[in-house]
Amino acid sequence: MKGKIWDWYAPVYSRVMRAEERSYAYLYRRISKLVRGKEVLELATGPGALAKRIAPVTKRMLATDYSEGMIAEAKKGACPNNLRFEVADALALPYADASFDAVVIVNALHLLPEPERALREIARVLRPDGILIAPNFVKQRESLFARSWEALLSLAGLRFANQWTPEEYLDFLKKNGWEVRFYKAMQARMPLLYAECGIG
């Protein structure tokens, strides 16, 4: 059911992400440096904004989402030749063990009822020296936009399954076997914590 809600919401979300381009500039630059020449998997790509930005520097990039509507939205417009979009469930990835050098999941773990399962799947498909890049919304002083965004999702039938403070989010990653190697608080319209991790 939730996949259908995201299918309906995909065009709206695409416009929201375009409005966030300036706020996410640091994220695009940082991730591009980390994934240069690597084989990369993105989970919860949404309308594909990040994937289209960073794919040109990668060896190969596969961007996935649970929602068919989001993938349809992501396929619109120009797309780098080494980037492929497909539907996949982050909780049961259809990829072989140790298939990727990097996995990127942006602002999605808080939506999953079992984010621990997603982290286990990420660890499985990552190569031993791979990197997880997992920026996520966190609880801080809430802005009007943050409250409005959460209210809009609630009206559509979607609620945040998890809400972490920055400290709680880092602790969640560590408790699930990840070594946090770098993190940075980012002030977009909704506060998020950027995190880079290796398998602990």
Side-chain angles (χ1 to χ4, degrees):
M1 179 63 183
K2 287 188 177 179
K4 295 296 182 186
I5 293 170
W6 282 113
D7 291 348
W8 169 82
Y9 202 61
V12 177
Y13 190 70
S14 185
R15 289 194 291 274
V16 170
M17 289 309 297
R18 282 198 294 272
E20 285 286 284
E21 286 281 318
R22 281 185 70 181
S23 299
Y24 281 60
Y26 169 85
L27 188 146
Y28 294 147
R29 288 195 306 271
R30 177 89 187 181
I31 296 177
S32 291
K33 289 177 183 176
L34 290 170
V35 300
R36 184 173 296 276
K38 298 183 184 298
E39 294 184 284
V40 181
L41 171 66
E42 185 186 13
L43 305 177
T45 190
L50 174 68
K52 290 176 182 177
R53 284 293 195 95
I54 68 174
V57 304
T58 69
K59 179 178 179 182
R60 172 178 72 95
M61 182 160 185
L62 175 59
T64 68
D65 201 284
Y66 181 69
S67 161
E68 293 180 7
M70 286 292 187
I71 292 300
E73 195 70 26
K75 288 179 177 179
K76 294 178 181 178
C79 185
N81 292 332
N82 64 338
L83 170 61
R84 191 170 88 248
F85 290 106
E86 66 182 40
V87 176
D89 184 350
L91 303 183
L93 295 172
Y95 311 118
D97 296 357
S99 297
F100 300 95
D101 302 306
V103 175
V104 181
I105 181 168
V106 179
N107 296 335
L109 287 170
H110 65 290
L111 295 170
L112 301 176
E114 297 178 272
E116 301 84 358
R117 282 182 60 192
L119 291 179
R120 287 196 296 271
E121 279 293 271
I122 291 167
R124 181 183 65 78
V125 301
L126 261 184
R127 292 176 179 136
D129 59 347
I131 183 171
L132 164 63
I133 302 167
N136 207 85
F137 292 140
V138 289
K139 288 190 298 183
Q140 287 182 338
R141 182 180 60 80
E142 288 193 343
S143 66
L144 177 60
F145 180 86
R147 290 195 301 272
S148 301
W149 176 248
E150 190 170 349
L152 187 58
L153 290 178
S154 274
L155 285 172
L158 289 163
R159 290 177 175 80
F160 291 180
N162 304 281
Q163 292 194 20
W164 298 290
T165 65
E167 295 77 16
E168 288 168 345
Y169 182 57
L170 292 174
D171 191 51
F172 164 74
L173 292 170
K174 291 171 186 174
K175 283 182 177 177
N176 282 277
W178 295 91
E179 176 192 355
V180 179
R181 297 174 178 169
F182 176 82
Y183 65 90
K184 178 182 174 68
M186 290 180 59
Q187 292 301 323
R189 292 187 186 181
M190 291 186 69
L192 64 107
L193 191 72
Y194 174 88
E196 296 168 8
C197 308
I199 299 172

